[in-house]
Amino acid sequence: MLNMMKKMWGFSVQMLILIGIYQVGNQMVRIFHLPIPGTVIGIVLLFLLLSMGVIKIEQIEMAAEWLLKHLGFFFIPISVGMMTIGSVLVNKGLSFLFVLIVSAFIGLISAGKATQSVIMKNEKEKVNYRDHVL
Amino acid sequence: MITFYSILLTLSVYIFARFIAAKYSSPLTNPVFLSTIVIIFLLVISNVSYDEYIPAKKMMTYLLGPATVALAVPIYKNRRLLAKYYGAALVGISIGLVTTIFSAIILGYCLQFSRMVILALTIKSVTVPVATEIGRILNGNIPLIAAFVIITGMIGAMFGAKLLSLFKITHPFARGLSIGTIAHGIGTAEAVKEGEVQGAVAGAAMGITAVLTSFIIPYGIDFFI
């Protein structure tokens, strides 16, 4: 019982740290009129704090992993909003869907292929270099 | 009362959808996709309008911001890997973004979409909170942008892994990067399930895509459309 309460307390503190960083990101965007969204600043900020050792990974890991496990959930209420543009989607839905699917597939394949071929090329060069040294 | 009902409904459908997804793995059982369909259906038959659903939506999406910030954790844990492949990552993200945006614009022109629709198409690969912000700056149609972003995320989450395997893209780094670049948070949620490397790289790619797009589109938009 005590153990569980301790765990819940720890979880809440971790959550508050993440919410705090998110709010700092939002405020920075507002104050400095940055053209970047607050969440992006928040990611960079948390990464820097972790790298500098200001925040230890254990101090946020439990809450962060729980949030990431359920990341998909937070998109559901937003995606339910599609019911408001139902008529547009019914009229033009198929042609929209066609464009979205084709362009997504083209993007997925070219991003994946490009990344993989650069990785392969670099690794091959490293092997050749090592051969040369030997 | 309606708010309480909406939250309870959304949570139970989500739990149910996760249970189904764990049991039957198929693109159609993707939790975000399945939940959305079931919730819209249940709201319509119980006569709840979207306006009445909005207070519940606000409460439930409150943690989306902190959850996006939490992406720094997998990035931090895999920082050595990201540093090792940063060249490949930058090439992959840039090529992925350019091809997906341009193919969408060209197809949009061929099908004679309005400027508003084409504008929404250019930011479809950016995570929802960021895409709607860019949309606001450009006076875009916010619900349409959100719909395009979410549908794109679902396409990536549902078919991304299979498509990448079909084209022999097997490297975990390349797979995560591709899904994160094109299918943002919804794809990342799926990539996390495939493996920690994939999840971390997808999260990082999603962040970088958001930054790149929010810099490029507002300045480039008049030039392209």
Side-chain angles (χ1 to χ4, degrees):
Chain A
M1 187 65 192
L2 195 72
N3 220 341
M4 210 177 125
M5 273 172 74
K6 238 183 188 170
K7 220 175 169 182
M8 273 174 76
W9 167 249
F11 184 85
S12 312
V13 172
Q14 297 197 355
M15 195 62 98
L16 282 176
I17 295 177
L18 291 173
I19 293 173
I21 293 171
Y22 166 62
Q23 294 299 354
V24 170
N26 275 341
Q27 291 308 317
M28 281 174 74
V29 168
R30 210 177 53 89
I31 294 166
F32 300 111
H33 300 285
L34 301 174
I36 312 166
T39 43
V40 175
I41 303 282
I43 296 175
V44 176
L45 208 59
L46 178 55
F47 181 80
L48 289 177
L49 291 172
L50 286 167
S51 305
M52 293 187 302
V54 180
I55 294 179
K56 299 255 179 322
I57 189 91
E58 304 83 43
Q59 287 170 320
I60 47 154
E61 204 174 14
M62 199 176 20
E65 259 156 27
W66 182 82
L67 284 171
L68 289 180
K69 190 177 162 202
H70 297 288
L71 187 61
F73 170 78
F74 304 109
F75 293 102
I76 295 170
I78 300 172
S79 135
V80 170
M82 277 193 269
M83 68 193 268
T84 58
I85 50 165
S87 60
V88 182
L89 291 182
V90 168
N91 286 331
K92 285 231 158 180
L94 275 182
S95 52
F96 286 171
L97 199 60
F98 170 75
V99 175
L100 290 174
I101 290 179
V102 172
S103 59
F105 279 14
I106 291 175
L108 282 165
I109 297 164
S110 42
K113 275 282 179 210
T115 314
Q116 184 160 282
S117 54
V118 174
I119 292 174
M120 295 299 178
K121 200 175 145 252
N122 287 349
E123 275 169 7
K124 214 171 159 191
E125 267 168 19
K126 251 179 228 155
V127 173
N128 287 343
Y129 174 74
R130 208 176 294 145
D131 287 349
H132 200 71
V133 172
L134 288 172
Chain B
M1 194 56 212
I2 290 178
T3 304
F4 179 71
Y5 168 75
S6 305
I7 292 179
L8 196 70
L9 176 87
T10 309
L11 281 175
S12 13
V13 171
Y14 173 68
I15 293 167
F16 165 76
R18 272 186 73 100
F19 172 75
I20 297 282
K23 221 165 174 191
Y24 311 97
S25 176
S26 137
L28 292 175
T29 58
N30 171 271
V32 180
F33 175 72
L34 189 63
S35 305
T36 305
I37 304 279
V38 176
I39 292 167
I40 291 181
F41 176 74
L42 291 175
L43 288 177
V44 169
I45 60 164
S46 54
N47 245 326
V48 177
S49 72
Y50 187 65
D51 283 336
E52 292 169 304
Y53 182 79
I54 284 177
K57 175 203 152 193
K58 282 202 175 129
M59 283 183 210
M60 287 184 288
T61 50
Y62 179 73
L63 289 177
L64 180 58
T68 312
V69 171
L71 283 169
V73 170
I75 298 176
Y76 175 76
K77 279 190 180 168
N78 291 278
R79 60 194 179 283
R80 283 188 191 89
L81 193 70
L82 286 163
K84 187 177 163 196
Y85 294 130
Y86 81 94
L90 284 181
V91 171
I93 293 172
S94 313
I95 289 183
L97 270 181
V98 167
T99 53
T100 196
I101 291 175
F102 277 97
S103 57
I105 294 178
I106 292 167
L107 286 170
Y109 270 126
C110 294
L111 292 167
Q112 295 175 327
F113 289 168
S114 66
R115 189 179 187 276
M116 200 63 121
V117 175
I118 295 183
L119 173 77
L121 284 174
T122 61
I123 34 186
K124 72 192 168 62
S125 280
V126 184
T127 181
V128 180
V130 180
T132 48
E133 257 170 82
I134 301 175
R136 209 160 286 137
I137 297 170
L138 299 173
N139 286 321
N141 180 337
I142 306 292
L144 188 71
I145 292 171
F148 281 5
V149 172
I150 284 164
I151 294 171
T152 298
M154 286 181 188
I155 294 168
M158 290 159 80
F159 307 107
K162 286 207 171 74
L163 188 75
L164 292 174
S165 303
L166 192 71
F167 280 83
K168 302 202 168 56
I169 296 155
T170 49
H171 199 287
F173 191 93
R175 291 177 69 88
L177 183 126
S178 164
I179 292 192
T181 302
I182 305 300
H184 54 89
I186 302 176
T188 300
E190 204 58 30
V192 169
K193 287 184 207 156
E194 194 179 288
E196 204 192 329
V197 172
Q198 286 90 324
V201 178
M206 161 185 153
I208 297 166
T209 299
V211 178
L212 284 180
T213 316
S214 53
F215 275 122
I216 295 165
I217 295 297
Y219 300 107
I221 200 78
D222 291 323
F223 187 72
F224 294 128
I225 64 173

